[in-house]
Amino acid sequence: MKKVTIDQLEEGMKLARDVFTENGKLLLPEGFIIKPSFIQKLREHNIDSVYVEDENVENYVKEEIIYHETFVAIQDLMLSAKAGEIVDPFVAKEIVNDIVAQIIEEEDVFLRIVGFRDVDNYTYFHSVDVSIFAAIIGKLLELDRKQIEDLALAALLHDFGKMKIPHEILNKPAKLTDEEFEEMKKHTIYGYQIVKNMDGVSEQIAEVALLHHERLDGSGYPLKLKGDKIPLFARIVAIADVYDAITADRVYKKKIVPTKAADYLTKYAGIHFDKDIVQKFLKMVVKYPVGCFVVLNTGEIAIVYEENPFNKTKPIVKVVARKEGPPVLIPYFVDLSQDPKREIIDVINY
């Protein structure tokens, strides 16, 4: 670690300590990678020096850095909102633009990262993952870059209102009562009120916080909008939100595997969710990459050996062990597309 002046600060350096404004507000968190816009922001706040790491940023995987930075940024923003402080989305905008740049170059670059989270920080990780999924959908729908950046930011901020929900409701390890659920639903209104007052955030972005629980058949909330009355961004985030939520461990339920999540979205496509968006999204995201470990309904543990180009939920796997019973002495291959009795029920390393 070393101290450098702003004039010595260069793009690609990694912050070794948090940087605060004169009034004690966190400006840039430890671990962030310096970019020109950050240097300009430091100058605006009259910061004359910062601490950076000695090691070169090239030693890190770029998408992992971006993912971590996005998590830290949304955590800081949400905690500021919870404390009733003014929320400055500058850092979040910059990081989201990095996510979009990576996804435009390669759609599935973040798919090996999303889903790794701890229950205590679920809301923050969920926001990051939904932003990534929404950006992927935006690219699949051939939106222009500015639209995808706005969409990804809207998705990142979609659950801001949860910071105004009592902790005992937000993290209750059991089903909510009717009264508690009514309070939980207010997070859409709280979120809209917070996001619309952020500097430089458009109404199109803010309304996603309000409308991401609306459903095509009018069964959603808070306005019970139907069909095309629900804006495109909200329809996209609704799908990304549900997919990520049901494939994650929560305080009150266990996750389900991507194929089961796909079944759920497909079942309600055209009813709750935009059918065209669901189909495009699932074709991209529901797959088991070569090398990941999976558990079959037979109790067998296998490694994905080869993807099936015609059905990415039914790869060729190599069985290497069993949860119970005799060990597997010689690994054997199974083509899940040709074996209706076997299916993937869990992912050990995705």
Side-chain angles (χ1 to χ4, degrees):
M1 181 173 64
K2 59 186 177 183
K3 187 176 183 179
V4 298
T5 66
I6 297 305
D7 289 337
Q8 295 171 322
L9 195 59
E10 297 177 0
E11 182 177 2
M13 288 182 172
K14 182 180 179 182
L15 286 175
R17 291 184 182 177
D18 293 337
V19 180
F20 296 91
T21 63
E22 289 181 352
N23 62 6
K25 173 66 179 173
L26 181 64
L27 182 62
L28 291 175
E30 173 188 343
F32 270 39
I33 307 304
I34 293 296
K35 58 175 65 177
S37 59
F38 289 175
I39 296 176
Q40 178 60 32
K41 196 72 171 177
L42 292 168
R43 293 188 189 280
E44 290 174 5
H45 285 272
N46 298 315
I47 307 296
D48 56 14
S49 62
V50 297
Y51 286 89
V52 298
E53 299 286 2
D54 295 319
E55 54 192 311
N56 195 315
V57 69
E58 293 177 359
N59 295 330
Y60 299 87
V61 178
K62 188 172 184 179
E63 60 267 24
E64 292 180 358
I65 294 172
I66 294 172
Y67 189 89
H68 169 73
E69 289 182 343
T70 313
F71 167 79
V72 173
I74 192 64
Q75 182 182 48
D76 176 54
L77 288 180
M78 283 187 159
L79 292 176
S80 293
K82 189 173 185 178
E85 300 172 354
I86 296 175
V87 178
D88 183 355
F90 166 76
V91 173
K93 285 182 178 180
E94 293 293 316
I95 301 304
V96 161
N97 291 350
D98 287 342
I99 286 177
V100 171
Q102 290 289 99
I103 288 173
I104 286 176
E105 186 175 326
E106 184 180 355
E107 296 100 338
D108 60 357
V109 64
F110 288 100
L111 292 186
R112 68 180 186 84
I113 302 175
V114 293
F116 288 108
R117 69 194 75 169
D118 60 88
V119 173
D120 292 338
N121 288 312
Y122 167 78
T123 300
Y124 310 128
F125 280 113
H126 173 65
S127 297
V128 179
D129 289 355
V130 172
S131 181
I132 289 170
F133 288 140
I136 291 172
I137 293 172
K139 182 180 179 182
L140 296 175
L141 295 179
E142 299 182 349
L143 302 183
D144 65 42
R145 182 163 183 155
K146 179 61 167 60
Q147 287 178 305
I148 299 174
E149 289 174 349
D150 286 349
L151 170 61
L153 181 61
L156 187 69
L157 303 176
H158 82 284
D159 263 350
F160 242 72
K162 286 187 176 178
M163 294 298 97
K164 297 298 183 182
I165 301 298
H167 182 270
E168 60 271 19
I169 294 178
L170 188 62
N171 293 291
K172 183 178 179 180
K175 184 178 179 180
L176 299 180
T177 65
D178 290 343
E179 293 78 11
E180 289 169 337
F181 184 57
E182 287 303 312
E183 179 61 28
M184 176 66 85
K185 290 197 295 186
K186 292 178 183 178
H187 82 273
T188 56
I189 298 170
Y190 298 148
Y192 174 70
Q193 292 170 341
I194 295 170
V195 176
K196 75 174 182 177
N197 289 318
M198 291 182 183
D199 185 41
V201 173
S202 68
E203 174 68 17
Q204 184 184 32
I205 292 172
E207 69 183 5
V208 170
L210 180 69
L211 304 177
H212 65 278
H213 282 288
E214 298 290 351
R215 299 295 181 255
L216 295 186
D217 63 356
S219 63
Y221 62 87
L223 303 182
K224 296 190 178 299
L225 300 180
K226 292 184 177 181
D228 290 341
K229 295 293 185 182
I230 305 170
L232 176 62
F233 279 13
R235 280 182 275 140
I236 291 172
V237 173
I239 292 166
D241 177 43
V242 168
Y243 178 82
D244 187 70
I246 62 181
T247 55
D249 283 326
R250 310 285 291 277
V251 291
Y252 55 87
K253 75 168 187 65
K254 300 294 289 182
K255 67 182 179 182
I256 64 175
V257 293
T259 48
K260 298 300 182 184
D263 290 343
Y264 176 83
L265 287 176
T266 300
K267 177 181 178 180
Y268 289 102
I271 302 172
H272 289 174
F273 310 110
D274 187 301
K275 188 173 182 179
D276 180 57
I277 297 173
V278 166
Q279 291 175 341
K280 283 183 168 64
F281 176 61
L282 294 182
K283 186 176 181 180
M284 163 57 65
V285 78
V286 181
K287 56 186 178 182
Y288 299 98
V290 172
C292 81
F293 284 82
V294 295
V295 180
L296 307 184
N297 59 330
T298 54
E300 296 163 310
I301 297 173
I303 303 173
V304 175
Y305 181 78
E306 183 179 330
E307 290 187 346
N308 179 349
F310 302 105
N311 187 344
K312 294 184 178 182
T313 67
K314 300 284 187 180
I316 296 174
V317 300
K318 181 167 70 173
V319 177
V320 295
R322 294 188 182 92
K323 278 191 168 183
E324 298 178 355
V328 174
L329 300 178
I330 301 176
Y332 50 92
F333 292 92
V334 177
D335 184 346
L336 295 180
S337 67
Q338 301 299 316
D339 190 337
K341 294 182 179 180
R342 284 185 171 94
E343 64 176 358
I344 296 172
I345 62 169
D346 200 2
V347 179
I348 298 175
N349 179 25
Y350 188 72

